[in-house]
Amino acid sequence: MDAKKRKHRYAMVIVQDRCIGCMACYSACKFEWEVPISKEMFRTEVLEIEQKDVDGKPKVAFMPILCNHCDNAPCVEVCPTGASYKREEDGIVLIEPSMCIGCKACMEACPYNARYLNEELTVVDKCTFCLPRISNGLEPACVATCVGEARNFGDLNDKNSKVYKLLKDAKKVRRLQEDKGTLPNVYYVSMND
Amino acid sequence: MSKITRRAFIKTSAVASSALAVGGLLPKQSKAKSKIERYDEKMTHYDKGKTAFTYCEMCFWNCGVVAHIRDGVVHKLEGNRCNPNNMGHLCAKGNSGIMSLYDPNRLKYPMIRTGKRGEGKFKKATWEEAFDYIGEKLKGIINKYGEKSVASFLHGTGEEPFIILSHAIGTPNVIIPAYSQCMGSREIGWVLTYGTGVSGHSTFDFKNSKYIISFGRNLLGALQVREAEDVTEALARGAKLVYCDPRFSETAAKAHRWLPVKPGSDLALILGLIHVLIRDQLVNMEFVKKYCYGFGELAEYVKQFTPEWAYQETGIDIKTIEAIAWEFAKYAPNVVAVPPRRFSRYGNDTQTSRGIAILNALVGNWGVPGGIWERSKYAYIVANYNRSDCDIKEIEFRLPKEDEPPKPKAERADGAGTLFPLAPKGLGRENGIIEATKNENPYPIKAWLLYGTNPIGSSSIGKNKLVEEVIPNLDLIVDMDIIPNDISMYADVVLPESVYLERYDLPHIQKDAHPFIAIREPAVKPLFDTKGAWDIAKGIAERLGHGKYFEKSVEERIEEVIAQLPKDKQKELKEKGVVIYEGVEPFPQAAGKELEFKTPSKKIELYSTKLAKLYKEKGDDYYPLPKYKSAVQPREKDVYRLLFGRVPMHTHARTQNNKMLAEIYPENEVWINEEEAKRLGFDEHDKAVLYSVSTKIESEPIKVKPTSRIRKDCIFIAHGFGHISKFLDTAYKKGASDSYLCSDEVDSVSGAAAFNNAFVKIKRVRS
């Protein structure tokens, strides 16, 4: 189904200038969804990328990462049981745990490494855009707690939504690994030049 | 080949275990349902459960929290959107309060020592037994050495009852370690200049600022939520940020200019900036003539501090210094120059704070949006209840109320108010008390009552030989905390406090640009045999015959406070957990009002009249204009100045055992300039020990982080690691502690500590 014809076109728009790498999102998400205490298990996290500019001076960027809820989701394609699926009405990619056999094919297929094996549930797990929260009128846990208000969630079909406006006003917009044809729904934007 | 972790894999790919569940730690509820069923139920029937309002205690800044409770278990903490401290956001620490509540290593009942100090052998005791024991010991000590020989070290919401207890005992030695360990020099410098302090909830209007210069305040990494929110918002609106620090911190990552000053030379840079402002006639003379005292003296004094001179001292080039002064003036008055919070660095800190205060004054940013705001009291409730926000005017914690014991008049043991006349008697000097305890001078200190403080993690303990020469002089150490921290190992009695999510406390009343009140109600009943601070202090007081000061319960006291609010506000407080008082003017200058300052001259004192008096008695350190004293330099080769500071996900030496925070940042690393690391043959992930050249103490092994993010003459470690308490399963011996290695020097004006005049060698660990 053409993404634009969906009832909702949910997206996360991350204003990367505003991310300070504090990991509030990481912990809020793990408590919200009872993700086991383990460095290898998380639905979202923030990378600290250390580089140098042309003069050799340090340069540090913080980059939140999560499931991109791709319109062309490789994880859904490879799932042998149909446990991984994309919701037609809003584009959210989900896993039905009772159908997951833990084969990890999706984990290998995902170019974002957004999925992990939940060792407690022995099924694969990942970000759901906090579907239960957004269904109850709340923001996703990571968005609600974000100290720098770097993370924004909303419906791109709604021209009054913050995410729509941010994409419209952004000076730079990018998505990760677009060359893979995944059509991700997580946008990284910069509002300043 | 070693296994590539998911984290490392993402780091390389995206840009181009024994699992211990959160659920698993919680009480064994809903065991009947399978975990998958619970997961499904959460997806289809989202139920956040009951709620309770509180304010956060994971650090000192008391963000608003809404706790969510399901089946008697706190499962999620959210920020309270009505609270100005955090506007609904919580940092990683705030989110992770749940893991402090459900920390399996928590103190669960009172304990009395049975083994030697440091051995960690205790017997379980009832509260009655513990109070009796403390009461008997204290009586003996007071009989033999006098009331003054009891000292209390206090940090957190429960400070107040222990101040009342100390006053009832009759000892002047109440120590709020935040003064000497952290903000003392900053506040003294500010009070001398403006008559008021910066305060904990700082008076800078970052959000509306167009140009921010931070002299080592790690605004985005330290992490006080409102500051970080406001600075981020300012940057999004196009503000410029200049960040001055030998280390490239989280704040440097967002700065337009990073100035890696030579450690300890900040004041030289500030004097250079002031020189350019005056030389190039960029001072707001209208403001200065009206509101400042001593401009002539200042102008004459700074003639010598040319940018050329400042370059020699700081390593920051002349063009940059001039450009920053011009930019600061260009955007004035919507600009701020920000002192560090922990200003216990190089022993020249009070004068440096004075310099920063003057830099602000010259551009006239007082009472202007984007500059410095004026705080107001919460008008509905005039009396102070809580600790007064590190506010050190003239300079009491707060005056005793009618039904409280009077403040003892005896001389303090730590020199606050005497040897260091500017150091407030209400806050004291932790470094001074440690020294007094060690030397039994000016009089013996024989009992320490420690509430929420851990001197082993927070003081200069190597230089002071805390364990070897201070602690043996004490006949009684009572440790009151939520976890068995390092000092608990040496305590005679350990008393478990309830975690903030389990207890009532007096409302948090914050003096602010928009002052407010926030309530704390328990999310759950105490999980173990613990008590709140009020009831602990009461138990001790009763044994000493001072029970009359503690007759009311905490709940009754809360009712009394809230009863002072108008009825409609009481209702609002119940519904929102927070009520803001809006009838204030934080920007009086912008509103066309006359300004008043609480200094002796009633003006902003560029030339300090108070220092001028002390200067005659005490000499050069008290010079009435900001006198530059270059920081102590090392005498040996191949040594590095030891810097330390915060990471965003830990507070002091008290959150390292929190399983979630430890997952994010389990141990500290030593940052060393990559070229120095190469020269010494260190690679990333190598392990090293830090060796103090003055005490010959070696740290625990610590991972090396070679980086371009630090100057070549210093190294950096995150504070709070290297715990020695064997009861902390998660934090025990993770990383290295700065307190074994830092210096015990003192800022001679404020009397606060100067930790960073310490030099270490970095030695390889052979594995």
Side-chain angles (χ1 to χ4, degrees):
Chain A
M1 184 169 155
D2 183 357
K4 286 187 180 153
K5 289 185 188 152
R6 286 201 301 258
K7 190 171 169 215
H8 301 293
R9 200 147 61 95
Y10 286 139
M12 179 88 69
V13 176
I14 295 168
V15 185
Q16 215 180 328
D17 320 325
R18 301 187 69 131
C19 176
I20 57 173
C22 72
M23 301 291 267
C25 49
Y26 179 90
S27 48
C29 171
K30 290 196 74 158
F31 284 110
E32 181 72 65
W33 301 112
E34 297 184 21
V35 178
I37 291 281
S38 156
K39 274 210 160 205
E40 296 291 302
M41 295 187 226
F42 51 85
R43 291 180 171 196
T44 186
E45 98 128 325
V46 184
L47 306 179
E48 184 181 28
I49 300 157
E50 296 185 327
Q51 292 165 316
K52 283 183 201 168
D53 66 11
V54 281
D55 310 325
K57 283 187 190 151
K59 214 171 110 177
V60 171
F62 299 106
M63 188 160 153
I65 51 151
L66 64 155
C67 170
N68 280 258
H69 296 275
C70 305
D71 284 345
N72 191 10
C75 54
V76 172
E77 262 171 56
V78 301
C79 179
T81 65
S84 282
Y85 65 102
K86 188 168 177 74
R87 279 160 57 103
E88 290 215 338
E89 60 272 40
D90 54 23
I92 293 179
V93 175
L94 290 182
I95 302 162
E96 172 47 50
S98 62
M99 291 165 73
C100 175
I101 56 171
C103 72
K104 304 190 192 176
C106 56
M107 287 168 62
E108 276 180 39
C110 173
Y112 307 103
N113 206 347
R115 295 169 163 242
Y116 71 97
L117 184 76
N118 184 319
E119 289 173 13
E120 276 219 320
L121 304 174
T122 59
V123 296
V124 173
D125 186 41
K126 67 165 196 71
C127 162
T128 64
F129 270 166
C130 272
L131 180 61
R133 282 179 65 107
I134 61 174
S135 309
N136 284 280
L138 299 168
E139 290 177 310
C142 61
V143 175
T145 206
C146 182
V147 170
E149 294 185 12
R151 289 174 179 252
N152 301 274
F153 176 82
D155 183 355
L156 290 179
N157 282 346
D158 174 4
K159 291 192 176 169
N160 293 316
S161 68
K162 193 174 173 193
V163 283
Y164 182 88
K165 286 178 188 161
L166 282 170
L167 281 188
K168 202 167 126 255
D169 297 340
K171 293 282 191 323
K172 282 182 228 154
V173 178
R174 67 178 179 132
R175 294 184 290 177
L176 300 181
Q177 305 192 65
E178 286 198 86
D179 56 321
K180 296 216 164 71
T182 50
L183 302 174
N185 281 304
V186 175
Y187 295 80
Y188 294 83
V189 304
S190 180
M191 307 309 288
N192 293 328
D193 292 317
Chain B
M1 202 176 101
S2 65
K3 195 181 151 202
I4 296 177
T5 65
R6 181 166 172 234
R7 204 168 281 257
F9 175 77
I10 296 171
K11 210 156 178 171
T12 48
S13 71
V15 191
S17 105
S18 64
L20 186 54
V22 174
L25 251 186
L26 307 184
K28 309 225 175 334
Q29 33 103 6
S30 326
K31 269 290 169 193
K33 286 178 197 156
S34 80
K35 282 173 178 161
I36 294 265
E37 277 169 342
R38 267 179 65 196
Y39 180 95
D40 269 342
E41 193 176 294
K42 244 189 140 171
M43 285 298 283
T44 50
H45 297 92
Y46 187 69
D47 171 21
K48 298 196 78 174
K50 288 184 199 158
T51 58
F53 291 117
T54 187
Y55 48 88
C56 191
E57 196 82 23
M58 292 299 286
C59 81
F60 202 64
W61 305 121
N62 300 135
C63 288
V65 175
V66 185
H68 295 272
I69 309 112
R70 215 172 30 217
D71 302 330
V73 175
V74 183
H75 65 99
K76 185 76 169 69
L77 303 175
E78 304 254 354
N80 186 337
R81 285 178 185 271
C82 304
N83 192 308
N85 278 349
N86 57 318
M87 308 297 284
H89 308 137
L90 288 180
C91 67
K93 296 172 279 185
N95 274 291
S96 303
I98 293 175
M99 287 313 231
S100 289
L101 175 65
Y102 298 118
D103 184 337
N105 297 143
R106 268 185 66 180
L107 293 169
K108 303 180 183 80
Y109 40 78
M111 298 192 297
I112 296 172
R113 180 168 64 84
T114 54
K116 286 186 194 147
R117 281 194 180 143
E119 252 184 353
K121 287 186 182 156
F122 295 92
K123 66 175 182 197
K124 186 176 175 178
T126 65
W127 281 97
E128 296 304 310
E129 285 164 353
F131 287 144
D132 288 345
Y133 183 93
I134 296 166
E136 284 311 305
K137 278 273 186 187
L138 277 177
K139 275 187 211 158
I141 290 166
I142 291 166
N143 275 336
K144 196 163 170 195
Y145 300 99
E147 295 86 357
K148 306 190 283 191
S149 63
V150 181
S152 316
F153 298 55
L154 314 173
H155 183 90
T157 298
E159 286 167 12
E160 191 213 28
F162 293 102
I163 291 171
I164 297 172
L165 171 65
S166 301
H167 291 180
I169 290 171
T171 176
N173 294 313
V174 173
I175 297 102
I176 308 293
Y179 177 79
S180 66
Q181 313 305 94
C182 187
M183 55 65 185
S185 296
R186 179 190 72 169
E187 292 297 280
I188 295 297
W190 224 256
V191 170
L192 288 168
T193 314
Y194 290 107
T196 51
V198 176
S199 100
H201 295 276
S202 59
T203 46
F204 302 113
D205 184 24
F206 293 114
K207 194 184 269 185
N208 295 305
S209 197
K210 291 176 182 156
Y211 199 85
I212 301 163
I213 310 177
S214 169
F215 292 95
R217 169 67 183 148
N218 185 4
L219 294 158
L220 301 176
L223 172 84
Q224 188 170 1
V225 170
R226 179 160 64 168
E227 261 185 16
E229 283 170 2
D230 287 357
V231 171
T232 309
E233 179 63 24
L235 294 175
R237 292 179 188 179
K240 298 278 178 282
L241 173 62
V242 177
Y243 183 68
C244 173
D245 188 338
R247 179 179 76 104
F248 190 96
S249 68
E250 293 84 354
T251 307
K254 303 289 182 188
H256 298 83
R257 291 177 191 271
W258 171 47
L259 310 180
V261 285
K262 197 171 163 187
S265 71
D266 301 60
L267 183 54
L269 175 64
I270 294 155
L271 290 168
L273 292 170
I274 294 174
H275 175 98
V276 177
L277 285 179
I278 295 177
R279 181 194 74 188
D280 297 350
Q281 299 184 335
L282 299 171
V283 172
N284 181 341
M285 283 312 292
E286 197 190 330
F287 179 86
V288 167
K289 276 182 191 155
K290 195 166 178 193
Y291 291 121
C292 296
Y293 177 85
F295 179 74
E297 287 90 338
L298 178 74
E300 191 55 37
Y301 171 69
V302 298
K303 271 186 187 159
Q304 56 190 311
F305 303 119
T306 60
E308 291 77 8
W309 171 83
Y311 163 69
Q312 294 294 336
E313 287 295 320
T314 62
I316 305 301
D317 67 78
I318 297 164
K319 278 189 179 159
T320 302
I321 296 173
E322 289 183 327
I324 292 168
W326 295 336
E327 287 164 6
F328 193 61
K330 178 181 156 192
Y331 293 106
N334 313 108
V335 298
V336 283
V338 189
R341 156 110 356 101
R342 184 181 73 75
F343 217 153
S344 48
R345 307 198 295 196
Y346 310 110
N348 57 10
D349 303 312
T350 306
Q351 289 287 21
T352 305
S353 175
R354 282 264 299 140
I356 300 169
I358 290 168
L359 192 57
N360 284 292
L362 295 179
V363 295
N365 65 357
W366 187 273
V368 179
I372 300 173
W373 70 43
E374 276 193 9
R375 295 181 300 155
S376 303
K377 279 189 175 171
Y378 191 71
Y380 296 122
I381 298 166
V382 180
N384 261 326
Y385 287 88
N386 313 42
R387 67 188 184 276
S388 69
D389 196 23
C390 301
D391 193 359
I392 55 166
K393 313 181 281 262
E394 281 289 327
I395 284 172
E396 299 300 336
F397 176 79
R398 66 168 172 75
L399 295 174
K401 297 186 185 32
E402 266 176 33
D403 54 353
E404 287 175 6
K407 245 179 91 71
K409 294 208 169 66
E411 185 187 329
R412 295 184 58 101
D414 56 17
T418 47
L419 188 60
F420 297 96
L422 296 173
K425 286 183 195 166
L427 303 176
R429 300 173 55 243
E430 181 178 308
N431 46 354
I433 282 284
I434 289 173
E435 211 179 302
T437 308
K438 180 174 168 179
N439 300 327
E440 309 206 325
N441 180 30
Y443 49 80
I445 297 291
K446 288 292 169 186
W448 282 6
L449 308 180
L450 304 164
Y451 168 76
T453 64
N454 173 27
I456 288 181
S458 67
S459 309
S460 165
I461 81 156
K463 274 257 179 158
N464 275 309
K465 297 198 182 328
L466 189 88
V467 168
E468 301 85 352
E469 293 181 14
V470 181
I471 283 175
N473 281 354
L474 290 161
D475 292 346
L476 178 67
I477 302 174
V478 181
D479 180 36
M480 297 163 275
D481 208 327
I482 59 170
I483 51 168
N485 216 328
D486 307 319
I487 194 70
S488 311
M489 299 284 289
Y490 292 87
D492 303 307
V493 186
V494 180
L495 300 178
E497 194 193 16
S498 304
V499 171
Y500 69 102
L501 293 165
E502 299 169 319
R503 64 183 201 237
Y504 281 109
D505 269 311
L506 285 191
H508 172 79
I509 304 171
Q510 189 168 314
K511 204 174 158 189
D512 207 279
H514 299 287
F516 66 92
I517 183 170
I519 53 170
R520 172 175 284 167
E521 52 195 14
V524 287
K525 284 187 186 141
L527 305 181
F528 306 109
D529 186 15
T530 59
K531 287 183 190 290
W534 180 260
D535 291 327
I536 297 175
K538 176 183 178 153
I540 299 172
E542 281 171 347
R543 298 310 188 274
L544 300 172
H546 302 305
K548 62 182 173 192
Y549 300 119
F550 293 88
E551 275 167 6
K552 289 171 196 155
S553 69
V554 173
E555 288 90 329
E556 284 166 346
R557 299 184 76 219
I558 294 169
E559 285 305 314
E560 278 181 8
V561 175
I562 292 177
Q564 297 173 57
L565 287 172
K567 281 276 179 310
D568 59 324
K569 299 290 173 193
Q570 292 184 24
K571 189 164 168 269
E572 193 182 336
L573 189 59
K574 267 195 187 122
E575 286 162 5
K576 293 183 180 168
V578 176
V579 175
I580 299 171
Y581 181 78
E582 292 290 0
V584 293
E585 180 48 78
F587 305 118
Q589 194 192 165
K593 292 188 176 160
E594 289 294 306
L595 304 180
E596 285 173 4
F597 297 93
K598 292 171 188 156
T599 55
S601 64
K602 311 280 181 224
K603 292 187 170 192
I604 301 171
E605 298 203 345
L606 309 178
Y607 179 94
S608 166
T609 54
K610 194 150 190 173
L611 284 181
K613 279 187 198 156
L614 291 164
Y615 171 59
K616 284 180 195 150
E617 292 165 40
K618 304 196 67 122
D620 228 20
D621 289 335
Y622 286 75
Y623 198 66
L625 291 158
K627 179 103 179 174
Y628 177 63
K629 185 169 76 173
S630 54
V632 181
Q633 296 302 319
R635 289 190 213 105
E636 301 83 351
K637 271 190 176 172
D638 286 337
V639 298
Y640 300 89
R641 186 184 293 271
L642 177 67
L643 305 181
F644 61 85
R646 281 199 177 191
V647 286
M649 52 295 288
H650 284 290
T651 300
H652 300 166
R654 56 193 294 174
T655 57
Q656 292 71 27
N657 207 58
N658 180 299
K659 282 194 158 60
M660 180 63 76
L661 300 175
E663 178 182 315
I664 301 173
Y665 194 92
E667 62 181 276
N668 55 2
E669 307 161 301
V670 54
W671 295 35
I672 180 166
N673 180 278
E674 57 192 7
E675 287 173 37
E676 288 296 301
K678 201 170 172 189
R679 191 171 68 79
L680 299 173
F682 282 107
D683 290 323
E684 197 165 355
H685 307 309
D686 278 356
K687 283 219 162 186
V689 293
L690 307 178
Y691 169 83
S692 163
V693 293
S694 61
T695 61
K696 317 226 178 315
I697 292 173
E698 267 186 12
S699 75
E700 292 289 324
I702 179 169
K703 278 187 199 159
V704 178
K705 176 188 166 90
T707 176
S708 60
R709 294 173 65 180
I710 191 162
R711 282 174 59 98
K712 288 183 180 177
D713 52 3
C714 47
I715 57 167
F716 169 87
I717 61 175
H719 175 70
F721 288 84
H723 283 277
I724 60 157
S725 169
K726 65 179 183 183
F727 301 115
L728 300 175
D729 291 336
T730 302
Y732 181 56
K733 287 201 171 174
K734 292 279 165 56
S737 165
D738 49 79
S739 66
Y740 290 88
L741 304 165
C742 64
S743 63
D744 65 343
E745 288 176 26
V746 172
D747 180 291
S748 45
V749 184
S750 66
F755 289 130
N756 300 119
N757 286 340
F759 301 95
V760 294
K761 286 192 175 181
I762 173 165
K763 291 181 173 178
R764 181 172 301 280
V765 175
R766 302 195 195 284
S767 49

